[in-house]
Amino acid sequence: MAQRTALITGITGQDGGYLAQLLHARGYRVIGVSRRTTANARDSLPAGVADIELVSADLLDQASLCSIVDQVQPDEVYNLAAQTFVPASWKQPLLTAEVTALGLARLLEAVRLLCPAARVFQASSSEMFGLATNSPQDEETPFHPRSPYGTSKLYAHWLATNYRESYGLFVASGIMFNHESPRRGAEFVTRKITRAVARIAHGLESTLVLGNLEARRDWGYAPDFTVAMHAMLQTQEPHDLVIATGASHSVREFCETAFSIAGLDWRRHVTVDPALFRPAEVESLVGDASKAAKLLGWRPTLTFEELVHEMVQADLQSLSATLGIRSGQVARLLPAQP
Ligand code: G4F
């Protein structure tokens, strides 16, 4: 069988790296799209895919997308690029919409005109549910986004549906609930917590300032989610599917678990700053991924506790390496896995 080609936007992000590794291991020719403004795109790639092909294009620039799609003629396109940080979307609502909403319009136009047989994965978000009317959320739950980010994702989600229905393109949207890993960006709450745990455990700081501790999320493991992305492009017909673990925990619970893994009491270190509260909060999200389980055989592989443990352990070890501390001392900082 001829080698298949995958084009990934958002290659420098958490999911882009894991997906590139997965597709590379499965024999794909993987081409990552990076913006010319990304100074060190290759440096952001994980070991193992550091030598994948990188091309320069931008979701803000129609001509660059057309040129890449025409040149590469991908079998599969994964649209993972977006302005993904929810608080930034109130500060830059237009940029968020340009990249996150209209960016998909530009990409789909390029595919429609120049490579219509390509299969497209769109990273939709649980933020589209926002003020959800029912729990857990599934593919039938009405949308009520609570931020310019969620609103932009919803435009893209419906546009993907529209291109499927209007032009017969194979476009599948994964409604992705929160997914984390040691490669999660430091601005997101999980990694903010695990990095702070490592710094506090090493005595480099003593306080972690957070916003709303009562918000609840369905936190899964990012590599599992990239397995689902790939599987969604291998089905006979395209589907929109919720990808989630089905378990919900509060930010407070995440703190409690993360600090206790390092033998610390979170109440001695965490303070709340109302300035970090959002203008409109998504209080609680939890997904029902039974349709994905049925159609793809997809299931999460890590529990919440295992995920938190992996993230804390990675941050402790990376900080120890930076500080030149031997592994025996790290083991004492890190009790056995739950
Ligand atoms: O980690 P977060 O910033 O993630 P959020 O807003 O749920 O969005 C993430 O997941 C979505 C679903 O997959 C993605 F679409 C999106 O791109 C992004 O990856 O915040 C989680 C919760 C929020 O309720 C927030 O108010 O944590 C609360 N929180 C409390 N203190 C905080 C903080 N969030 C951040 N980032 N920083 C805090 O200090």
Side-chain angles (χ1 to χ4, degrees):
M1 197 173 134
Q3 187 183 34
R4 298 179 68 73
T5 300
L7 187 69
I8 305 176
T9 73
I11 191 70
T12 55
Q14 167 188 258
D15 295 1
Y18 283 120
L19 182 64
Q21 280 179 295
L22 178 112
L23 297 177
H24 189 63
R26 293 187 183 184
Y28 278 72
R29 176 186 176 205
V30 180
I31 300 172
V33 178
S34 75
R35 286 178 296 146
R36 197 163 279 292
T37 47
T38 309
N40 57 350
R42 199 163 287 286
D43 295 348
S44 317
L45 297 175
V49 289
D51 57 351
I52 66 159
E53 295 168 61
L54 287 180
V55 292
S56 179
D58 198 315
L59 285 181
L60 299 177
D61 186 296
Q62 182 72 68
S64 69
L65 294 173
C66 285
S67 157
I68 293 303
V69 167
D70 194 24
Q71 194 187 312
V72 167
Q73 291 293 309
D75 298 292
E76 298 173 11
V77 178
Y78 295 87
N79 184 37
L80 311 185
Q83 190 301 96
T84 58
F85 190 44
V86 175
S89 75
W90 278 283
K91 297 205 164 77
Q92 298 188 313
L94 299 183
L95 179 69
T96 300
E98 280 289 352
V99 178
T100 309
L102 294 181
L104 180 69
R106 296 185 188 98
L107 185 61
L108 288 178
E109 277 297 280
V111 170
R112 177 178 80 82
L113 294 168
L114 299 161
C115 189
R119 294 183 164 206
V120 180
F121 173 84
Q122 165 60 12
S124 285
S125 166
S126 55
E127 283 292 302
M128 301 186 308
F129 293 124
L131 199 62
T133 48
N134 56 294
S135 184
Q137 295 84 47
D138 63 17
E139 292 79 6
E140 308 306 320
T141 302
F143 298 120
H144 185 149
R146 297 270 282 167
S147 63
Y149 169 82
T151 310
S152 297
K153 277 288 182 188
L154 188 51
Y155 171 91
H157 184 76
W158 280 118
L159 196 73
T161 307
N162 183 258
Y163 270 57
R164 200 161 61 212
E165 294 174 355
S166 303
Y167 303 116
L169 292 191
F170 189 113
V171 191
S173 298
I175 306 176
M176 317 298 265
F177 281 63
N178 298 51
H179 44 287
E180 320 295 311
S181 76
R183 296 187 202 157
R184 186 58 146 146
E187 68 274 38
F188 298 97
V189 76
T190 56
R191 188 77 197 291
K192 185 174 171 181
I193 295 167
T194 61
R195 274 166 56 106
V197 165
R199 293 183 65 78
I200 291 169
H202 280 298
L204 299 178
E205 54 196 47
S206 61
T207 305
L208 167 64
V209 183
L210 292 174
N212 181 8
L213 299 182
E214 308 315 323
R216 300 185 72 85
R217 290 291 184 276
D218 180 334
W219 280 296
Y221 184 46
D224 288 346
F225 282 57
T226 61
V227 170
M229 292 175 193
H230 177 249
M232 284 183 68
L233 294 194
Q234 315 312 313
T235 55
Q236 193 123 25
E237 301 293 330
H239 297 277
D240 293 340
L241 296 175
V242 161
I243 307 297
T245 73
S248 133
H249 296 272
S250 65
V251 174
R252 179 189 298 273
E253 285 162 9
F254 195 104
C255 286
E256 207 172 330
T257 309
F259 278 84
S260 74
I261 286 168
L264 298 165
D265 180 352
W266 73 280
R267 288 166 299 191
R268 296 186 56 202
H269 302 283
V270 174
T271 61
V272 170
D273 181 352
L276 293 175
F277 283 48
R278 297 176 180 185
E281 176 64 283
V282 173
E283 291 293 346
S284 183
L285 289 174
V286 59
D288 173 357
S290 40
K291 193 170 167 193
K294 192 165 156 223
L295 287 175
L296 311 175
W298 182 86
R299 273 176 192 79
T301 64
L302 288 196
T303 63
F304 171 75
E305 287 76 15
E306 288 165 343
L307 169 67
V308 182
H309 191 276
E310 177 162 333
M311 292 179 70
V312 170
Q313 182 176 39
D315 276 322
L316 278 170
Q317 280 172 348
S318 114
L319 189 56
S320 300
T322 308
L323 298 172
I325 296 173
R326 286 194 306 277
S327 59
Q329 288 168 287
V330 178
R332 280 198 292 282
L333 286 169
L334 191 72
Q337 187 155 354

